[in-house]
Every structure is written in structure tokens, then in C-alpha cells.
Amino acid sequence: MKYQQELREGDRVFISDSDRSIDSRVGLIIASDGDHFLVEVRGLDTGLEPRRRLPRSSLLRNRELILQRHVAKDHRGLRCSWKFLKDILDEEEGVLLVIASYVETALLFPHQFSGYMNGVINEFWWYDSSGSPQPFLGPASSPSSGDLDSRPRIDCGACVIDLGLALLAGGCSDHPNAAYQDSGFYRSALTYDSLFDEWGSFPDMKCKRHGCAAVCLERERQVFVMGGQYVDDLPGAGPQAFCEVFDLDRPDLGWNFLPEHAYANIGTRERQALSRSAFFPAAAVENVVVCRLSLSEGWDADRGEHFTLVLDPKRGEGWAAVELPTPPQDTPEGTPQGTGAAGCEHRGAFVLASGRPAARFGRTASAFILDKKSTKSTREAPSRSRGHSGRWEALPPMTASRGGGALVSLHGRLFVFGGCDETTVTFFDHADELRAPLVWTGSAKKESPSAETPGHDDADEEGDDWWDEQAITNSQINCWERLGCFRMPRPLHAHKVLALPRLTRIMRVEP
């Protein structure tokens, strides 16, 4: 493992127990004398640490190692044999971690960020393996809160940008009718590190964005924040204000609009949709940004047009409308979700759930499958000449309308958290799971659960996490069903839920 040597004051690092391992403590460098750094550890006294024992906590490889070390220690069998194996392997922890990686993988947990219920609920929760809510620190309680925009934040764009690192961008401080134009809508962004329960600053965007969407492309290491109401009136920006991009490997460049030619391949109606889009779903699918925009009067989706747009950076041609098959009437290719649906990537598809108006689209769910052949470029044919193609497929209807709910894919399982049934004005404090054998026709993602355990993810071999327990005891398929062991601290909508790992003892449901 390579340790980063160009360290300086203000950097966060892992604290090493020895030259062959790294511990879970994270410290802040506050001074240096050349060969040693004075490191401050939260809850502990400061101390001098040798330069060679300070791996930088922001490096992905270091984060992977520290997470795998904790996973190995939390596994029942590995925990019992940890000391024995270390003695046999002559303290070579790296080999032990490789062995552990074949036995147990890191779990992701739902992390819920603030939402709305008769006012802004500025609370932060993650749900352990038993389904119990556990609080985590909000921005105002973070040790670095003085450097953060720690005001309440709802209706923002949220996505995972690195292992255990979430980004929240834009949004507002209150209900849009109560937020002030000058100070209530945000251009600011901040990060949450689930491995160390810490918040961090992030460069401000060019635009204030309320109801925006955020997507990170892992391969390109680029973050895209799109759309949003109340964006600043920037002279000369035009449709370019729709999307800002941030290169995680070049933070010095800050946020930038896509160039004008990135919008050259879409029509006039699509351009109008770009300038008026907010509260729309977007996700990264097969390393391509996919979003579904609407051009309608308010929430009246029956009188509007709907567009599926993609952005594939490796093709370099900018935004493009997806070529869809001619749909029969009342099929997903038409208006499967109305407007304002929740969305996420799930098993290689772009899944949407619960749109507006709720009376017609509140219980609908659908999946968009992008044709992989249309994402590949060849030397013989310019990529610009072939376009993108894909199709929509209907999913089982939901048990109730869940406007403003959060859709999240977790270990190959699909969940919807909270939300509001606008037809009955009922707010939910529970989660539903989709029980369906999802096999996308013509897709390489042919992952279908077994008949004995519908929706079971083979990666979870022990079968004692709350999602596995449900899969084993539930015999019904092809429907949405409530998770009986799960309950949110309060009913909520307009919240965000992201799947993130944690450095904590994994709570298990004993068989």
C-alpha cells in the first residue's frame, strides 16, 4: 500500500498502529516539524505521529482497506480467529484482509437526510441490520461546522461520490413558499463521510438550485447537478444553466457549465424542458447520466410531453434524446410516472416510482433499460450517427402513492422510504420493497432471484440481515410489500436516502 507523502496542515489521515496496519481512528494534522506531524484525534489528546504511518483518509484505496479491516473484525468467524491468523501470517495484515474479502463484504446501510413534515425535519438517521434507526451528526454538530453551510437543507440534489462519501448540493432552507429568494435557496454544497460521521465543505455551484438532481459517474469521477427552480439569472447562460459538472480529480477547476455544443443534438421542445425542469429523477446507468424530463403545465402530466435524455461523456456528443419504440396507448413508453417521480439505478436499469398527479400516477412504477450497443463507439462509424436507444418496462403497481418518497437500491434490493399519498393526505413512516424477478429483456444484467428467496442477493450469504430475513419469510413475488421490521422515527417526505457503509460493529439478527 502506498502512503501519500505530500501531507500538510489541515489534511485528514488514518492513525497507524504499526507499519503493517492502519487503525480506524482519523486525525487532523495541526502542525509539522518535518519528520513528524502533530495530529489531533477526535475525543483524544493530540500526539506526534511519524510521517510514514499517516495514510491520507481521502484516498480511495486507504478507505477500502480500513473498511475491509472493520468488516473482517465484525465477522463472527474471522473475529474469533483474527489473532490466530495474524500470528500464522507473521502480522501481515494485508494477506488477512485479502482472505477476509472472500468471506465477508462491506454492508451498505440506508442513510436518511432531512425532509419535510409540517415543517423542515432537520434530522439524520441510518438504519442498522436489524432495521433500527440510529442517529448521526448533522452539519451543525460537525467538528468542522464553522466552515460549512450548516443551515437546514431540503429539496437538494444528493448522490454518492466516493466510498462512504455523499454529496448534498443546492436545495432550500424551508418550504419554497416560506424560503427567501436571496438567502433561502442555495448554491452551496457539502459532503457527509459515513465512515467517520463527519461533514465537509465543497465548492459552491454557479447557480442556486432548488429541486435539482445530482449524479456521479464513478468511472469518469465527475459529478453532475442538473435543473432546479429559482436558479440565478446568469447573463448569456441560456440552456447551459441546466447542468453543472465537477471533476473530482481536478477540484481546482470548480463547477463548470457544459459547453454550448453539449446541447446541439436535442430539439426545441427538449431545450424548453431543460429550462423548466425541477423535481425530476436522474441516475447513473452503465456509466451514463439518464434523466426523465417533463414539459407540462404545473403537475398536469396528462397535458405534457416527457423526454428521456442521456449524457454519455465517453462519446463526447453531449445530451441526446433516447430513441424509444413507438408505444401502444397507456404503456410505460408514454407517461409511466407523470412528473416528480422518485428514481435510482437498480440492477443496471433506471427505475422510477410514484409520480404526479397522484390519482393517476401515484402507484405506478417502471424501469428504463438503455441499449448497451448504443453506448459504444466504433472507429468505423462516428458515434454521433448512431444515437441512443432504450425502452421502458412496467413494474408492479405500488401499494400506495408515495409522493416525495425516497427510492434506493441496496444490495440488489429495491426499497421506497416514506413519502405522502396525496389522494388521502397520508404520510408514511415505513418502507416497502419490490418483490419481483427483475430480468431485463435483452440486457446483460440477467440477475433473477431464486424462487425460494425472492429478491435475495447472493452476496449476503449469512442471511441474517433485515433484508435477507424478509426475503426468506416472504413467499409472495411480483408486488410491493411492507417491511414489517422497519420503521422510520417519524413520517416524512421530501427527504433523501443514500446507501453508505459505516465503520461500526454490524448489528446482526441472530438466527
Side-chain angles (χ1 to χ4, degrees), residues 211-233:
C212 54
V215 169
C216 180
L217 295 185
E218 182 179 356
R219 191 179 305 161
E220 275 72 21
R221 288 186 52 78
Q222 291 181 325
V223 182
F224 299 83
V225 177
M226 299 156 283
Q229 297 169 325
Y230 306 103
V231 296
D232 294 329
D233 184 14

Side-chain angles (χ1 to χ4, degrees), residues 375-435:
T375 67
K376 298 179 180 178
S377 300
T378 62
R379 295 181 179 179
E380 291 78 11
S383 60
R384 187 182 300 274
S385 64
R386 293 179 296 110
H388 290 270
S389 61
R391 68 195 180 284
W392 287 94
E393 292 186 6
L395 296 179
M398 305 174 68
T399 58
S401 172
R402 285 180 173 266
L407 196 66
V408 61
S409 179
L410 186 69
H411 294 291
R413 314 287 291 280
L414 186 66
F415 303 91
V416 59
F417 292 80
C420 173
D421 186 341
E422 296 179 348
T423 61
T424 61
V425 196
T426 302
F427 291 82
F428 299 111
D429 62 355
H430 61 269
D432 284 354
E433 180 188 359
L434 176 62
R435 307 285 190 183

Side-chain angles (χ1 to χ4, degrees), residues 341-403:
C344 73
E345 187 277 339
H346 178 63
R347 292 183 179 268
F350 179 35
V351 180
L352 308 185
S354 193
R356 286 174 167 174
R360 179 177 178 186
F361 300 111
R363 297 180 59 225
T364 58
S366 56
F368 171 75
I369 299 90
L370 182 65
D371 183 0
K372 289 186 176 181
K373 294 181 180 180
S374 71
T375 67
K376 298 179 180 178
S377 300
T378 62
R379 295 181 179 179
E380 291 78 11
S383 60
R384 187 182 300 274
S385 64
R386 293 179 296 110
H388 290 270
S389 61
R391 68 195 180 284
W392 287 94
E393 292 186 6
L395 296 179
M398 305 174 68
T399 58
S401 172
R402 285 180 173 266

Side-chain angles (χ1 to χ4, degrees), residues 157-162 165-169 213-216 223-225 498 500:
C159 65
V160 177
I161 62 174
D162 209 336
L165 197 63
L167 173 72
L168 279 69
V215 169
C216 180
V223 182
F224 299 83
V225 177
L498 299 175
L500 298 166

Side-chain angles (χ1 to χ4, degrees), residues 213-217 222-226 242-243 280-292 308-313 318-320 322 350 368 370 388:
V215 169
C216 180
L217 295 185
Q222 291 181 325
V223 182
F224 299 83
V225 177
M226 299 156 283
F242 170 73
C243 179
F280 60 90
V285 179
E286 305 293 348
N287 218 55
V288 174
V289 180
V290 183
C291 64
R292 188 174 185 277
T308 304
L309 301 184
V310 297
L311 175 66
D312 187 352
W319 289 100
V322 174
F350 179 35
F368 171 75
L370 182 65
H388 290 270

Side-chain angles (χ1 to χ4, degrees), residues 110-117 121-128 131-136 417-419 427-431 482 485-493 495-497:
H111 283 65
Q112 175 185 305
F113 299 85
S114 53
Y116 196 88
M117 175 59 179
I121 307 299
N122 199 32
E123 298 176 346
F124 304 86
W125 301 91
W126 68 278
Y127 299 91
D128 62 28
S132 299
Q134 306 293 334
F136 66 91
F417 292 80
F427 291 82
F428 299 111
D429 62 355
H430 61 269
R482 180 172 176 174
C485 63
F486 175 90
R487 184 176 293 272
M488 299 163 60
R490 68 178 75 234
L492 202 65
H493 79 139
H495 54 294
K496 303 295 180 182
V497 177

Side-chain angles (χ1 to χ4, degrees), residues 17 21-24 66-83 86 93 96-97 100 104 504-506:
D17 286 335
S21 68
I22 54 179
D23 199 2
S24 60
I66 193 63
L67 183 59
Q68 188 58 50
R69 185 174 190 266
H70 272 256
V71 168
K73 284 194 171 184
D74 280 329
H75 186 276
R76 286 190 291 266
L78 289 172
R79 186 167 65 246
C80 295
S81 57
W82 184 269
K83 186 177 185 306
K86 287 190 73 174
E93 187 175 88
L96 179 58
L97 293 180
E104 179 87 333
T504 185
R505 181 164 301 282
I506 299 173

